[in-house]
């Protein structure tokens, strides 16, 4: 590699220039993702943070500038009213709790469904494993939006499921499934299942078969072996999968919007309404920032739990 | 063909005084077309430390796993203490196994690892802890009770694995390469510890190993396996001094093997013409063979004497030139070249710290061995 650089003149000059600036290969490699995060994560975050402390206005853009210059005077006006507003109106608090609860139970459901699937794949023969993993990832090949719309077709009163049940005579009136919390759970579990299965699979496939044999040899029947050996050893996978489902599910907007009813009070929908319907950008930004803060705590709890488990 | 082995009364495999404790009869294990274990029959007695010895892929581990219940025999029957093991899951068998990788539960402390089997049997905590403490004392791990496996050295892990597999006092303990992961010095120390523990508990041990020295040190009897079959069963000296085939002679220790034809066949001696030696070997005991039959003669390096002066005998005396000497400390291995070009290895104990007269490279020497020093092999 370095031999190539030495021989090609432009490369050599570039390398010399970078070296003069104190940049080495290692720094450059790190710099690319750092720059990416800086531009696409930190800068937008700062914009949102700035918006959240601005005052709303009926204007374009719909907020007052933070910094005003009047000749030699410079005024910085920070408004924390937007955050206070979140506590005044019970709607926001309710939406937060509803979102966290829904995300939590969705993650638990995904875990309960995903674990046996991941376990089965991990215990399959190697040839079969790759086929099964493909099937898990297959839904990603179609648009997520399309798949959620498809569920509408299944769940609506004259949808596939109701028509089938009416036809068999199990029910004589269509079930109300669409625009219920049930449909939201269904949508979230369906969409996020691969995010649970994959980390669990990655963990379970590493599980040393000899440990299971050792347990059986020492008198452990299959069920005690599972609870005393397999489950505790798959804890890092469980936590990773749980985080991958729980965290994005809190801010989920599309699924509750398309499948949920008016009582599905998810924070993502509230945010959308503030931003697009009310055109109250500062309040919407405050909602987003508050959600971030509310999320950081459960994430940190899960992270420390994960680290503790991994250390063992 | 071979001189008889002296009969001792404490050896049930000779006296037949008690029924075998483990009966493996006509057991075969097939994986597809591959015969991992091929028609093996073996009786093992109570309190034995039996070694299954063989190279990798010889079927010794498969046989062990069938005893533990991890594999089911394709054909044949395994009995432990009079009980047929067919259809019995590992957790229903009176056996415990010490795994080659130790298979310690990484998320449990030493104490919990050892107690695992006791808890699975529904033992109360107080009683279990007492047994665990006793077991940890036996393997000298008491100070490490609350450590996790990754905080232990290889030797300590090996002892945890041993304690865990012994705490339930199984009728039969199966050990898969129990000392394989230890370095040489630790292995030697642990061998004797293992024998001591086995004797003090009286548990029957079956040890799988590829290390013939380990088998020799540990075993009451050795079963040598090759290609899924047991080729010879016997006590260590019997296996070493009276191998029944070229495979066993070659596998255990090092050996000089000669191919020859019977030129004289008398009741009290035979003579083999060996082209490699450019002469003949005189065997000082009768062998059931016919004239001109092809036989093999195996003589171990330590049975061969080397000297500068011609030995005072006429049979089995050959000239040779020292080609190479490997100094091992306690012994030196001499590689000798015969006039026919055939190489011969002979060991010499280094009895003194310095020897001015020592045989050295290029020396012309005389080589000889006693007329009963080698084994005559028919296969």
């Amino acid at each position: 590699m370095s031999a190539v650089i030495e021989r090609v003149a432009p490369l050599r000059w570039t390398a010399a220039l970078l070296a003069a600036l104190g940049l080495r290969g290692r720094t450059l490699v790190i710099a690319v993702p750092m720059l990416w995060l800086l531009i696409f994560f930190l800068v937008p975050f700062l914009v949102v943070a700035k918006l959240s402390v601005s005052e709303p206005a009926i204007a374009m853009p719909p907020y007052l500038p933070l910094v005003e210059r009047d000749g030699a005077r410079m005024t910085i006006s920070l408004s924390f009213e937007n955050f206070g507003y979140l506590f005044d109106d019970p709607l926001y608090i309710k939406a937060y709790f509803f979102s966290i609860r829904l995300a939590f139970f969705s993650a638990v459901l995904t875990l309960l469904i995903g674990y046996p699937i991941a376990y089965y794949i991990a215990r399959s023969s190697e040839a079969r494993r790759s086929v099964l993993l493909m099937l898990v990832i297959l839904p990603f090949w179609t648009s997520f939006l399309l798949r959620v719309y498809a569920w509408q077709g299944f769940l609506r009163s004259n949808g596939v499921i109701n028509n089938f049940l009416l036809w068999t005579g199990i029910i004589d009136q269509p079930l109300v499934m669409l625009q219920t919390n049930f449909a939201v759970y269904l949508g979230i579990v369906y969409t996020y299942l691969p995010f649970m299965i994959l980390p669990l699979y990655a963990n379970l496939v590493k599980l040393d078969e000899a440990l299971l044999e050792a347990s059986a040899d020492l008198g452990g029947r299959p069920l005690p072996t599972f609870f005393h050996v397999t489950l505790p050893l798959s804890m890092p996978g469980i936590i990773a999968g749980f985080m991958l489902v729980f965290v994005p599910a809190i801010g989920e907007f599309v699924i509750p919007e398309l499948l949920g009813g008016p009582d599905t009070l998810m924070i993502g929908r509230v945010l959308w309404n503030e931003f697009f319907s009310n055109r109250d950008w500062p309040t919407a930004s405050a909602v987003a920032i508050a959600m971030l803060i509310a999320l950081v705590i459960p994430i940190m709890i899960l992270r420390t739990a994960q680290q503790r488990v991994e250390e063992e | 063909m071979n001189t008889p082995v002296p009969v001792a009364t404490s050896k049930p495999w000779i006296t037949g005084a008690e029924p075998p404790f483990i009966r493996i009869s006509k057991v075969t294990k097939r994986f597809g077309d591959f015969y991992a274990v091929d028609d093996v029959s073996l009786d093992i007695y109570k309190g034995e430390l039996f070694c299954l010895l063989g190279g990798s892929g010889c079927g010794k581990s498969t046989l062990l796993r069938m005893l533990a219940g991890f594999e089911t025999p394709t054909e044949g029957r395994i009995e432990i203490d009079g009980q047929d093991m067919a259809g019995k899951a590992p957790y229903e068998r009176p056996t415990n196994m010490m795994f080659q990788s130790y298979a310690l539960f990484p998320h449990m402390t030493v104490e919990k690892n050892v107690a695992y089997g006791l808890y699975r049997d529904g033992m109360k905590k107080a009683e279990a802890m007492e047994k665990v403490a006793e077991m940890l004392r036996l393997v000298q791990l008491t100070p490490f009770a609350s450590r996790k496996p990754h905080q232990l050295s290889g030797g300590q892990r090996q002892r945890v694995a041993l304690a865990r597999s012994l705490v339930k006092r199984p009728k039969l303990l199966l050990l898969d390469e129990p000392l394989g992961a230890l370095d040489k010095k630790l292995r030697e120390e642990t061998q004797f510890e293992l024998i001591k523990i086995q004797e003090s508990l009286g548990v029957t041990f079956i040890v799988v190993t590829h290390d013939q020295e380990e088998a020799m040190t540990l075993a009451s009897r050795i079963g040598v396996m090759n290609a899924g079959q047991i080729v010879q069963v016997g006590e260590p000296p019997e296996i070493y001094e009276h191998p029944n085939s070229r495979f066993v002679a070659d596998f255990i220790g090092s050996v000089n093997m000669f191919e020859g034809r019977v030129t004289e066949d008398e009741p009290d001696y035979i003579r083999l013409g060996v082209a490699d030696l450019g002469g003949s070997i005189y065997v000082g005991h009768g062998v059931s063979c016919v004239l001109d039959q092809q036989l093999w003669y195996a003589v171990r390096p330590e049975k061969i004497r080397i000297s500068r002066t011609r030995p005072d005998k006429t049979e089995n005396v050959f000239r040779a030139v020292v080609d190479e000497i490997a100094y091992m400390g306690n012994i030196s291995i001499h590689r000798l070249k015969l006039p026919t070009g055939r190489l011969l290895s002979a060991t010499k104990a280094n009895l003194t710290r310095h020897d001015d007269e020592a045989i050295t490279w290029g020396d012309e020497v005389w080589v000889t061995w006693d007329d009963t020093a080698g084994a005559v092999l028919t296969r």
Side-chain angles (χ1 to χ4, degrees):
Chain A
M1 181 69 203
S2 54
V4 176
I5 292 174
E6 309 254 303
R7 248 178 287 134
V8 185
L11 285 180
R12 197 168 60 228
W13 297 331
T14 318
L17 177 72
L18 289 171
L21 290 171
L23 290 173
R24 286 147 180 266
R26 193 179 294 226
T27 330
L28 283 172
V29 168
I30 296 258
V32 175
M34 285 301 260
L35 214 66
W36 178 274
L37 284 175
L38 194 77
I39 295 170
F40 295 105
F41 180 76
L42 194 64
V43 171
F45 174 76
L46 289 176
V47 170
V48 172
K50 190 197 107 178
L51 276 175
S52 73
V53 289
S54 306
E55 254 187 89
I58 302 171
M60 191 68 211
Y63 58 90
L64 296 176
L66 275 191
V67 184
E68 269 176 308
R69 207 170 286 172
D70 179 17
R73 267 169 55 126
M74 194 168 86
T75 336
I76 300 174
S77 41
L78 295 180
S79 157
F80 290 97
E81 258 171 56
N82 304 319
F83 286 96
Y85 187 50
L86 297 185
F87 292 98
D88 288 345
D89 193 338
L91 170 91
Y92 299 105
I93 307 282
K94 262 193 194 159
Y96 281 123
F97 277 109
F98 186 90
S99 301
I100 289 173
R101 204 180 62 202
L102 189 127
F104 177 80
F105 286 118
S106 302
V108 170
L109 279 172
T110 345
L111 177 65
L112 291 179
I113 297 166
Y115 201 102
I117 299 175
Y119 189 89
Y120 177 78
I121 299 174
R123 290 271 157 272
S124 298
S125 70
E126 229 161 291
R128 216 183 151 121
R129 251 186 253 160
S130 49
V131 174
L132 291 171
L133 278 178
M134 255 276 287
L135 289 176
V136 169
I137 307 167
L138 203 64
F140 288 127
W141 291 12
T142 16
S143 150
F144 155 67
L145 213 56
L146 219 62
R147 283 181 284 131
V148 178
Y149 271 122
W151 273 110
Q152 280 192 343
F154 273 101
L155 296 175
R156 72 164 65 99
S157 0
N158 60 350
V160 177
I161 295 172
N162 272 321
N163 281 345
F164 177 75
L165 290 177
L166 286 169
W167 175 72
T168 54
I170 293 171
I171 51 169
D172 46 19
Q173 256 186 358
L175 296 172
V176 179
M177 288 184 288
L178 198 61
Q179 298 191 334
T180 60
N181 287 340
F182 163 76
V184 179
Y185 275 114
L186 190 75
I188 290 183
V189 169
Y190 160 77
T191 310
Y192 287 96
L193 199 56
F195 296 105
M196 182 61 88
I197 292 174
L198 293 176
L200 275 175
Y201 163 80
N203 174 281
L204 286 169
V205 80
K206 281 187 304 186
L207 186 69
D208 186 1
E209 192 107 24
L211 294 177
L212 304 181
E213 285 182 351
S215 172
D217 185 66
L218 291 164
R221 285 164 184 279
L223 214 58
T225 297
F226 176 78
F227 282 111
H228 288 105
V229 180
T230 311
L231 194 64
L233 286 176
S234 59
M235 222 47 204
I238 292 176
I239 293 173
F242 198 90
M243 279 223 292
L244 282 178
V245 175
F246 175 70
V247 173
I250 292 179
E252 185 56 60
F253 165 71
V254 174
I255 296 168
E257 184 66 23
L258 293 183
L259 301 179
D263 59 334
T264 311
L265 202 62
M266 294 277 290
I267 205 69
R269 287 178 95 183
V270 171
L271 206 148
W272 176 278
N273 281 335
E274 291 297 349
F275 197 90
F276 290 100
S277 310
N278 293 353
R279 278 184 63 81
D280 187 349
W281 290 16
T283 304
S285 302
V287 169
I289 296 284
M291 183 165 79
L292 203 75
I293 293 164
L295 269 180
V296 161
I297 296 161
I299 290 173
M300 278 192 349
I301 292 170
L302 282 169
R303 278 297 301 173
T304 42
Q306 192 176 28
Q307 263 163 8
R308 212 173 35 235
V309 167
E310 268 167 9
E311 269 166 31
E312 288 172 4
Chain B
M1 176 197 328
N2 298 325
T3 44
V5 177
V7 174
T9 43
S10 63
K11 294 172 177 171
W13 51 90
I14 295 165
T15 60
E18 49 177 282
F21 187 61
I22 292 135
R23 265 207 164 110
I24 300 168
S25 30
K26 295 180 175 299
V27 164
T28 294
K29 177 70 186 178
R30 265 195 313 265
F31 294 109
D33 291 341
F34 174 67
Y35 282 77
V37 172
D38 188 1
D39 194 26
V40 164
S41 293
L42 188 63
D43 286 344
I44 295 168
Y45 295 85
K46 205 179 176 96
E48 264 203 89
L49 204 166
F50 193 95
C51 274
L52 284 169
L53 177 64
S56 61
C58 73
K60 55 189 195 301
S61 289
T62 309
L63 190 57
L64 198 76
R65 289 173 61 78
M66 284 195 280
L67 285 163
F70 300 134
E71 309 280 359
T72 33
T74 316
E75 278 163 47
R77 183 182 160 92
I78 294 173
E79 256 176 53
I80 298 174
D81 199 12
Q83 263 189 302
D84 188 1
M85 286 295 123
K88 291 226 176 204
Y91 47 80
E92 295 167 329
R93 296 192 180 208
T95 61
N96 280 136
M97 180 148 160
M98 190 181 144
F99 290 80
Q100 184 173 9
S101 62
Y102 307 147
L104 298 177
F105 302 123
H107 58 299
M108 295 182 197
T109 60
V110 167
E111 201 170 51
K112 290 211 170 110
N113 261 288
V114 178
Y116 187 86
L118 299 174
Y119 286 149
R120 293 293 79 73
D121 285 356
M123 192 180 277
K124 289 277 172 300
K125 192 177 175 185
E127 197 187 347
M129 279 301 136
E130 211 170 287
K131 293 209 171 212
V132 169
E134 183 195 330
M135 210 61 231
L136 289 181
R137 250 198 316 279
L138 186 72
V139 297
Q140 296 163 22
L141 278 175
T142 312
F144 302 97
S146 53
R147 292 228 188 145
K148 293 265 174 79
H150 70 92
Q151 296 168 309
L152 301 175
S153 72
Q156 289 164 341
R157 268 181 237 171
Q158 188 261 358
R159 299 216 296 277
V160 178
L162 184 65
R164 188 179 69 174
S165 56
L166 274 172
V167 76
K168 290 178 77 176
R169 296 296 155 93
K171 286 181 178 170
L172 170 64
L173 183 67
L174 307 163
L175 302 99
D176 191 359
E177 305 269 4
L179 310 174
L182 305 182
D183 60 58
K184 192 167 160 40
K185 194 140 187 78
L186 200 56
R187 201 160 58 214
E188 279 166 10
E189 285 168 26
T190 316
Q191 281 172 356
F192 292 106
E193 236 171 87
L194 206 59
I195 297 174
K196 228 169 64 199
I197 288 172
Q198 194 262 343
E199 281 171 354
S200 70
L201 298 181
V203 174
T204 310
F205 276 32
I206 298 181
V207 178
V208 152
T209 180
H210 68 277
D211 181 340
Q212 39 116 350
E213 262 177 61
E214 191 173 302
M216 297 286 235
T217 322
L218 291 175
S220 61
R221 283 192 302 155
I222 295 173
V224 183
M225 288 191 76
N226 183 33
Q229 292 178 319
I230 295 214
V231 273
Q232 187 174 8
V233 178
E235 291 167 50
E238 190 186 340
I239 299 272
Y240 188 76
E241 303 292 3
H242 303 282
N244 67 359
S245 58
R246 278 181 292 154
F247 175 81
V248 175
D250 205 36
F251 189 76
I252 315 274
S254 45
V255 77
N256 295 294
M257 186 82 65
F258 300 104
E259 191 184 323
R261 290 194 175 274
V262 181
T263 54
E264 284 178 54
D265 179 18
E266 299 297 328
D268 57 344
Y269 78 90
I270 67 162
R271 190 180 291 281
L272 294 170
V274 178
D276 267 4
L277 284 167
S280 67
I281 294 175
Y282 174 86
V283 182
H285 55 80
V287 175
S288 47
C289 59
V290 292
L291 269 180
D292 209 34
Q293 184 185 341
Q294 186 191 35
L295 288 178
W296 289 270
Y297 188 79
V299 59
R300 305 242 176 236
E302 74 275 9
K303 307 278 194 298
I304 297 177
R305 287 193 300 274
I306 333 166
S307 57
R308 283 225 176 78
T309 53
R310 191 189 163 94
D312 185 21
K313 55 194 277 202
T314 50
E315 300 293 356
N316 302 340
V317 174
F318 304 96
R319 296 234 64 173
V321 176
V322 178
D323 187 54
E324 202 71 69
I325 300 173
Y327 176 74
M328 312 287 284
N330 55 344
I331 56 164
S332 290
I333 302 170
H334 293 70
R335 202 164 66 158
L336 309 162
K337 198 171 203 164
L338 297 168
T340 54
R342 161 80 199 238
L343 291 169
L344 200 66
S345 84
T347 58
K348 206 166 164 13
N350 294 322
L351 300 172
T352 54
R353 293 172 70 188
H354 182 73
D355 185 2
D356 283 329
E357 300 285 283
I359 290 165
T360 182
W361 281 265
D363 281 3
E364 285 238 352
V365 291
W366 293 91
V367 174
T368 187
W369 59 83
D370 289 347
D371 54 19
T372 53
V376 179
L377 307 168
T378 51
R379 56 191 171 107

